[in-house]
Amino acid sequence: MRKTDIGLIGLAVMGENLVLNLESKGYSVSVYNRTRAVTDAFIRNRAMGKSIFSYYTLFEFINSISLPRKIILMVKAGEAVDSIIQQILPLLSPGDIIIDGGNSFYKDTDRRVKLVESKGMFYIGAGISGGEEGALNGPSIMPGGSKDAWPFVESILMKISAKADDGSPCCQWIGPGGSGHFVKMVHNGIEYADMQLIAEVYQVLKVVFNLDNEQIARYFTLYNKGKLKSFLIEITAEILTHRDISGVYLVDKILDSAGQKGTGRWSVESAMELGVPFNIIATSVFERILSTQTDDREKGGQVYGHKIHKVGNSTIEDIFKAMYCSKVALYSQGFELLDKASKQFGWELNLSSLAEIWRNGCIIRSAFLDDISAVFRQEGSSNKLLLTSSFADDIIKLQDVWKNVVSDILSAGESIPVMAASLNYFMSITSKSLPANLIQAQRDYFGAHTFERVDRPRGEFFHEEWKRN
C-alpha cells in the first residue's frame, strides 16, 4: 500500500487549510480528527478529489505515513497536545517526527522535546502565523526543537511557507527547545500592541477629528505606504468600509469588547521573568481586559462624563507620524525580549533573520520589517531598535510631534494608552536621570535593601540608618 508523505491531526479551520496547502505543493496527506463527522465533512467537500486520505483510528493513521513519519499537530494548546503525544508515542518508530503547529507555551515545548527525544523520536515546536488565509496560501513558520529532525522537514516547511518579495521563504530554523514557540509568542505580543495602536488612531480620527468611516479608511489607505505599509493597516481600511447585509457599516455594530487567547499575556509574563521592559505590550494586553468591562465603563461615563474637547495643534498627518514613533518603540521592546531570551537560554537567535521571516505570511507583516532586518544586520551592537542610528535619525526628527500629539489627544479627553505608553518608554529609555534613587532610598528605609552611590564604583552597596535620635 502506498504511504503518504505527511500526516496532520486536528481539522479545525487552521488544520484544514494547512492540509490543503500541503497537498497543493505536491504532498499526499493523511488526516485524523477526534470527531469523525468533522473528518467526513472535510473529505466530502474541500478535500474531494485531492491526495488527502482520512483515517478514523490513530493506529491506521500512523501506519499510513511513510518513514520517518512526519506528523503535524493542529490541536488546542495545553492538555490536548499532551494527550495526543501520549496516545501516538507508543505507535511511532525511532526517528519519527512530531511537529506542534499550535500556539503552545514555550516551556511546554521545552518539556515535550525532552520527553519525545527520550523515546527515540524528534519533536519540533513550530510557531505558525497568518491565520486562515496564511495557513492555506503560505504562513510565516518558526520551527524550533530537535535540530536533527530539520533536514527531514525543511523542504516541506519551506515550500508551504509564505515568500517575501525577494522570493525567500518566510521560514527558517529558529533554535533548540521551545525557541520557535517563544518567537511566535513574542510575535503575538507585538501583534496585540500593533492592533491596539491602530485602534487608538482610528478612535482619535473618529471621536476627536469627527471623521466618518469612509474618511478614516481613506487616511489608512493613504498612509498604507512607505514605513507604515502593513497588513493590519490594509485590512483596517477594508473593515471600516465594509457594510453588512442591511447596508450599515458592520464595524459600528460590533461590541467594543476584545477577546484574547493567552499568547499576549504569556509574552508579558515572560518579559517579567527575564527582566525586560515591556510596558507597551503589557498595556495592550490590559486594554483588552479593560474592554471587556463594559458595564464598569458605562458607569464610569455616567459618573464622570466623557467630554471631548477641541484638539490642539496636531494634524492628522501628525497622528500618523506619532503612530510610526510608537511602532518603533513597541517593536524595540519585542526584539529586546527575543534577544534577552536568546542569551538566557543559549538559543543564538538571529534578530535580523527573525525580522525577515515576518515580512510576509504573518499578521504583523509589513515593510517596516525590512528596515528592522537591515538595522540588525548592519548594527549588531544594540538589541534596542530605538538606540540604533537608523531609527534614532527618524525619531530625533519626529519626537516633538510625537510628544505634542500625545499631549493634545489626552487634553482633548481621548484615551491613547499604547501611544502614551510608547512615549513614556521612549522618555525613560532616553533619560540620564530617573527617580529610582528615591525608590531605592525608600526600600532601604523600610527594608534595609541597601543602595549604590553615584560617587562610588558600581557593585558597592550601602545601608543608611535613616532614623537618627
Side-chain angles (χ1 to χ4, degrees):
M1 182 178 73
R2 183 182 184 277
K3 303 282 188 175
T4 61
D5 299 310
I6 193 167
L8 185 141
I9 298 175
L11 292 175
V13 175
M14 284 289 288
E16 282 194 5
N17 284 349
L18 205 58
V19 169
L20 293 171
N21 186 349
L22 285 160
E23 198 274 343
S24 72
K25 302 302 186 297
Y27 299 105
S28 56
V29 189
S30 296
V31 297
Y32 171 87
N33 193 78
R34 182 181 59 177
T35 305
R36 183 182 182 118
V38 172
T39 305
D40 288 341
F42 178 53
I43 294 298
R44 285 197 305 265
N45 295 287
R46 302 181 75 194
M48 177 73 74
K50 301 182 184 298
S51 295
I52 299 170
F53 306 92
S54 60
Y55 297 90
Y56 299 96
T57 69
L58 286 171
F59 179 82
E60 293 174 314
F61 167 78
I62 296 293
N63 283 288
S64 71
I65 306 166
S66 61
L67 296 174
R69 300 181 182 94
K70 295 164 280 289
I71 300 168
I72 300 176
L73 308 184
M74 295 299 294
V75 299
K76 186 177 180 180
E79 294 180 1
V81 178
D82 288 318
S83 176
I84 288 292
I85 291 172
Q86 291 299 331
Q87 291 177 63
I88 66 175
L89 274 179
L91 305 174
L92 298 178
S93 302
D96 286 351
I97 303 160
I98 300 172
I99 305 169
D100 177 10
N103 277 332
S104 289
F105 186 44
Y106 79 98
K107 291 183 179 179
D108 289 336
T109 303
D110 271 333
R111 170 176 55 80
R112 291 164 185 155
V113 169
K114 294 172 184 175
L115 169 66
V116 174
E117 287 184 346
S118 73
K119 305 295 183 182
M121 279 71 81
F122 300 119
Y123 193 87
I124 293 174
I128 297 178
S129 177
E132 299 174 22
E133 179 184 347
L136 180 63
N137 299 316
S140 173
I141 307 177
M142 296 148 261
S146 303
K147 181 65 179 291
D148 288 343
W150 181 233
F152 297 99
V153 300
E154 178 179 3
S155 62
I156 297 175
L157 297 184
M158 292 289 194
K159 279 186 181 180
I160 68 170
S161 70
K163 307 300 181 290
D165 290 342
D166 62 7
S168 59
C170 293
C171 173
Q172 294 183 29
W173 182 255
I174 301 300
S179 59
H181 276 136
F182 189 95
V183 170
K184 174 56 172 23
M185 175 191 74
V186 176
H187 165 284
N188 284 21
I190 293 172
E191 176 187 312
Y192 272 52
D194 214 344
M195 293 171 70
Q196 174 67 30
L197 180 60
I198 291 170
E200 290 172 14
V201 171
Y202 152 72
Q203 186 76 349
V204 166
L205 298 184
K206 174 183 176 182
V207 175
V208 180
F209 285 86
N210 295 311
L211 302 185
D212 61 32
N213 288 350
E214 296 288 344
Q215 291 172 315
I216 299 171
R218 282 196 289 274
Y219 276 109
F220 275 106
T221 300
L222 174 66
Y223 286 100
N224 186 38
K225 59 182 68 172
K227 294 180 185 240
L228 281 176
K229 180 178 175 60
S230 72
F231 169 72
L232 285 172
I233 289 184
E234 176 186 339
I235 68 169
T236 297
E238 293 181 12
I239 289 168
L240 288 169
T241 56
H242 182 84
R243 298 175 185 266
D244 67 13
I245 57 174
S246 67
V248 301
Y249 293 109
L250 181 57
V251 70
D252 295 335
K253 298 300 179 183
I254 296 176
L255 181 68
D256 57 340
S257 176
Q260 56 182 308
K261 291 187 176 180
T263 47
R265 172 174 56 81
W266 289 346
S267 69
V268 174
E269 292 171 349
S270 298
M272 294 176 69
E273 290 178 359
L274 292 168
V276 174
F278 221 60
N279 67 303
I280 304 170
I281 294 168
T283 296
S284 70
V285 174
F286 288 125
E287 281 302 305
R288 288 202 188 186
I289 296 171
L290 194 151
S291 76
T292 66
Q293 300 177 348
T294 53
D295 291 341
D296 289 340
R297 291 192 287 112
E298 183 175 353
K299 183 177 180 180
Q302 293 171 352
V303 172
Y304 293 100
H306 191 87
K307 298 178 181 178
I308 300 298
H309 305 285
K310 184 179 179 181
V311 72
N313 296 322
S314 296
T315 65
I316 292 176
E317 182 180 2
D318 291 337
I319 304 300
F320 282 92
K321 288 178 179 177
M323 180 186 193
Y324 169 74
C325 294
S326 300
K327 186 164 181 168
V328 174
L330 79 88
Y331 274 73
S332 185
Q333 289 192 345
F335 276 90
E336 183 180 354
L337 179 56
L338 290 168
D339 187 65
K340 183 63 178 289
S342 178
K343 292 171 180 173
Q344 181 81 13
F345 304 129
W347 289 340
E348 299 183 356
L349 300 181
N350 184 319
L351 300 185
S352 178
S353 294
L354 294 184
E356 287 180 355
I357 65 174
W358 287 346
R359 290 180 299 169
N360 202 359
C362 69
I363 302 303
I364 64 170
R365 58 187 183 265
S366 66
F368 184 66
L369 287 157
D370 281 313
D371 298 333
I372 293 176
S373 178
V375 165
F376 282 130
R377 189 166 54 248
Q378 297 164 7
E379 303 186 42
S381 58
S382 178
N383 64 352
K384 293 183 176 68
L385 289 175
L386 276 171
L387 303 185
T388 58
S389 60
S390 297
F391 284 106
D393 289 344
D394 287 341
I395 302 301
I396 287 169
K397 297 173 186 174
L398 299 174
Q399 61 178 321
D400 288 340
V401 171
W402 191 10
K403 295 171 187 175
N404 290 335
V405 165
V406 171
S407 176
D408 283 348
I409 300 306
L410 291 175
S411 296
E414 188 53 56
S415 170
I416 44 171
V418 159
M419 188 177 287
S422 301
L423 179 59
N424 276 326
Y425 172 69
F426 168 75
M427 299 287 284
S428 293
I429 200 66
T430 57
S431 295
K432 292 182 179 179
S433 176
L434 292 174
N437 57 323
L438 177 58
I439 295 171
Q440 197 60 23
Q442 292 169 334
R443 295 182 73 240
D444 189 59
Y445 187 106
F446 64 70
H449 292 294
T450 74
F451 53 86
E452 295 174 277
R453 296 177 60 105
V454 297
D455 53 358
R456 300 292 296 175
R458 290 298 305 266
E460 291 186 25
F461 292 88
F462 302 86
H463 169 62
E464 177 71 8
E465 293 297 331
W466 297 93
K467 293 182 179 179
R468 290 179 178 173
N469 295 327

